[in-house]
């Protein structure tokens, strides 16, 4: 049985937060790459011998364009998980792996590329299973993806390209069984929240990168999750758009008070956004080394003395960890 293609996996999981149950099957003379059910929604990937993959939703052909790439195999990720939370780690390291995020908190996980930030997010999303320790939300174990957790990805390929902006945002409420009038009212509410009034009928291909990320945020908020898991959502944007969306995220968080885990490698972004910052160490034994309360009053100014002092403190901590890794 082949693995799912990553773009469709992102589209379905980010909207529904549901486990993907892949089933082998055959359809006429076409070879099914993957077929499954997500909360009653049937989807399939069909590979023609000489053509591009086709995507079927609810038995209807909705997309016939080349998909980006195969879903990455788990080997490297599982190794990273083992290093992060493996039971073979020394007893003294256990405290560095304990993390509690409080309700309504905006928590940033900061660290260099390759340190395991996204692995932590994938564990909390339920995409990966830990090799040791426990993961809970509201006291309940996290055993797989669920509608109580919503993921905002860095890339915009999690949007349904064949749906309008309003239909992308209304898709989750539609799957929850809400009537048309109610789900479109919810979609308009959250499009307004992310400053996209008047863009309801545009398709993703007609939107800028910043607009697409706003659609992602509106779409997950429309599902009313308990926690938002944001994997460097502004990392692919230009500097000006990234700055504007950072400010807008703080505004959205202030209005909704949703719990947010935000992954970043940008110190300034973490200082601007976070109530607390978890700084991850580098190297093969990476873990959450120190948790720093930011404590700067909101709204925060990037040029203020307190902002600069916090940046310097965190940068010194990261450089110190880098020096230790170099000595090792």
């Amino acid at each position: 049985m082949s693995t799912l293609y990553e773009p469709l996996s992102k589209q379905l999981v980010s909207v529904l937060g549901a486990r993907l149950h892949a089933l082998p099957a055959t359809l006429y003379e076409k070879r099914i790459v993957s077929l499954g059910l997500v909360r009653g929604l049937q989807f399939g990937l069909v590979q023609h011998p000489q053509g591009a993959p086709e995507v079927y939703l609810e038995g209807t052909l909705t997309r016939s364009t080349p998909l980006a790439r195969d879903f990455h195999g788990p080997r490297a990720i599982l190794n990273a998980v083992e290093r992060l939370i493996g039971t073979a780690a020394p007893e003294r390291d256990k405290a560095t792996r304990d993390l509690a995020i409080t309700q309504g908190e905006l928590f940033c996980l900061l660290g260099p590329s390759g340190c395991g930030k996204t692995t932590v997010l994938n564990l909390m999303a339920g995409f990966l299973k830990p090799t040791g320790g426990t993961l809970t939300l509201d006291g309940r174990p996290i055993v797989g993806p669920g509608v109580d957790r919503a993921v905002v990805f860095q890339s915009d390929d999690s949007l349904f390209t064949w749906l309008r902006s309003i239909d992308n945002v209304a898709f989750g409420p539609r799957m929850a069984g809400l009537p048309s009038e109610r789900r479109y009212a919810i979609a308009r509410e959250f499009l307004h929240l992310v400053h996209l009034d008047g863009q309801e009928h545009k398709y993703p291909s007609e939107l800028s990168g910043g607009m697409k990320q706003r659609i992602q945020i509106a779409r997950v908020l429309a599902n009313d999750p308990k926690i938002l898991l944001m994997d460097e959502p502004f990392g692919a944007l230009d500097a000006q758009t990234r700055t504007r969306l950072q400010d807008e995220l703080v505004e959205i968080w202030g209005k909704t008070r949703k719990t947010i885990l935000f992954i970043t490698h940008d110190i300034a972004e973490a200082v601007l956004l976070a109530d607390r910052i978890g700084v991850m160490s580098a190297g093969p034994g990476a873990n959450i080394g120190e948790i720093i309360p930011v404590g700067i009053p909101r709204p925060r100014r990037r040029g203020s003395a307190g902002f600069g002092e916090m940046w310097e403190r965190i940068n010194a901590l990261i450089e110190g960890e880098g020096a230790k890794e170099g000595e090792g």
Side-chain angles (χ1 to χ4, degrees), residues 99-246:
L99 172 64
I101 300 174
T102 60
Q103 183 176 353
E105 181 177 18
L106 204 169
F107 187 95
C108 279
L109 196 56
L110 174 71
S113 297
C115 71
K117 303 185 300 296
T118 298
T119 298
V120 173
L121 182 142
N122 285 335
L123 285 165
M124 296 184 69
F127 300 156
L128 298 174
K129 292 184 178 180
T131 57
T134 59
L135 289 164
T136 61
L137 180 63
D138 279 354
R140 296 181 178 180
I142 296 174
V143 296
V147 294
D148 54 355
R149 285 151 286 134
V151 181
V152 178
F153 297 96
Q154 180 181 129
S155 60
D156 56 34
D157 60 7
S158 69
L159 295 178
F160 293 112
T161 57
W162 57 89
L163 294 182
R164 301 172 302 167
S165 298
I166 193 167
D167 295 314
N168 263 287
V169 178
F171 192 83
R174 173 191 169 193
M175 291 298 100
L178 295 185
S180 176
E181 182 178 352
R182 176 58 182 151
R183 65 178 181 253
Y184 281 119
I186 292 173
R188 290 189 178 92
E189 174 188 350
F190 287 106
L191 285 169
H192 174 73
L193 182 65
V194 299
H195 307 292
L196 284 180
D197 295 302
Q199 309 298 325
E200 297 93 336
H201 301 293
K202 290 186 177 180
Y203 290 88
S205 61
E206 301 174 293
L207 302 174
S208 68
M211 288 179 174
K212 291 176 184 178
Q213 291 307 88
R214 290 185 178 96
I215 294 292
Q216 277 209 73
I217 294 170
R219 187 172 66 176
V220 298
L221 288 172
N223 294 322
D224 194 25
K226 293 180 180 178
I227 185 169
L228 271 63
L229 306 173
M230 308 186 76
D231 190 7
E232 301 195 58
F234 310 141
L237 303 175
D238 63 85
Q240 186 176 6
T241 303
R242 183 165 60 248
T243 297
R244 184 164 63 249
L245 284 181
Q246 289 167 351

Side-chain angles (χ1 to χ4, degrees), residues 5-313:
Y5 281 86
E6 187 173 18
L8 185 65
S9 300
K10 285 185 177 181
Q11 290 161 359
L12 293 171
V13 172
S14 66
V15 177
L16 305 177
R19 187 186 302 274
L20 302 180
H21 299 285
L23 303 171
T26 303
L27 180 64
Y28 301 109
E29 295 179 355
K30 303 174 181 179
R31 180 171 62 86
I32 294 287
V33 176
S34 204
L35 178 68
L37 292 173
V38 181
R39 297 188 66 186
L41 172 67
Q42 185 183 48
F43 70 92
L45 298 178
V46 179
Q47 177 67 66
H48 286 279
Q50 298 174 334
E54 294 178 347
V55 178
Y56 285 79
L57 289 174
E58 297 181 323
T60 303
L61 176 65
T62 55
R63 179 174 175 181
S64 183
T65 56
L67 297 172
R69 58 193 180 278
D70 284 330
F71 184 72
H72 293 297
R75 184 179 303 277
I77 294 176
L78 290 176
N79 289 340
V81 174
E82 184 68 29
R83 288 198 295 268
L84 278 168
I85 59 171
T87 55
E91 186 74 19
R92 59 183 173 83
D93 287 340
K94 279 191 175 180
T96 66
R97 295 189 300 274
D98 290 342
L99 172 64
I101 300 174
T102 60
Q103 183 176 353
E105 181 177 18
L106 204 169
F107 187 95
C108 279
L109 196 56
L110 174 71
S113 297
C115 71
K117 303 185 300 296
T118 298
T119 298
V120 173
L121 182 142
N122 285 335
L123 285 165
M124 296 184 69
F127 300 156
L128 298 174
K129 292 184 178 180
T131 57
T134 59
L135 289 164
T136 61
L137 180 63
D138 279 354
R140 296 181 178 180
I142 296 174
V143 296
V147 294
D148 54 355
R149 285 151 286 134
V151 181
V152 178
F153 297 96
Q154 180 181 129
S155 60
D156 56 34
D157 60 7
S158 69
L159 295 178
F160 293 112
T161 57
W162 57 89
L163 294 182
R164 301 172 302 167
S165 298
I166 193 167
D167 295 314
N168 263 287
V169 178
F171 192 83
R174 173 191 169 193
M175 291 298 100
L178 295 185
S180 176
E181 182 178 352
R182 176 58 182 151
R183 65 178 181 253
Y184 281 119
I186 292 173
R188 290 189 178 92
E189 174 188 350
F190 287 106
L191 285 169
H192 174 73
L193 182 65
V194 299
H195 307 292
L196 284 180
D197 295 302
Q199 309 298 325
E200 297 93 336
H201 301 293
K202 290 186 177 180
Y203 290 88
S205 61
E206 301 174 293
L207 302 174
S208 68
M211 288 179 174
K212 291 176 184 178
Q213 291 307 88
R214 290 185 178 96
I215 294 292
Q216 277 209 73
I217 294 170
R219 187 172 66 176
V220 298
L221 288 172
N223 294 322
D224 194 25
K226 293 180 180 178
I227 185 169
L228 271 63
L229 306 173
M230 308 186 76
D231 190 7
E232 301 195 58
F234 310 141
L237 303 175
D238 63 85
Q240 186 176 6
T241 303
R242 183 165 60 248
T243 297
R244 184 164 63 249
L245 284 181
Q246 289 167 351
D247 292 334
E248 289 181 9
L249 179 62
V250 173
E251 176 189 344
I252 292 167
W253 171 76
K255 291 178 179 178
T256 64
R257 285 296 167 176
K258 284 292 182 184
T259 307
I260 298 176
L261 172 65
F262 191 100
I263 303 296
T264 183
H265 63 268
D266 185 339
I267 299 175
E269 183 171 62
V271 173
L272 179 74
L273 298 178
D275 293 318
R276 293 185 300 155
I277 300 172
V279 181
M280 294 195 67
S281 60
N287 54 56
I288 303 172
E290 185 169 343
I291 298 177
I292 301 174
V294 177
I296 302 175
R298 301 180 187 273
R300 294 171 183 167
R301 292 187 299 111
R302 294 170 177 83
S304 68
F307 193 101
E309 290 169 1
M310 180 60 65
W311 191 98
E312 292 290 350
R313 175 185 172 186

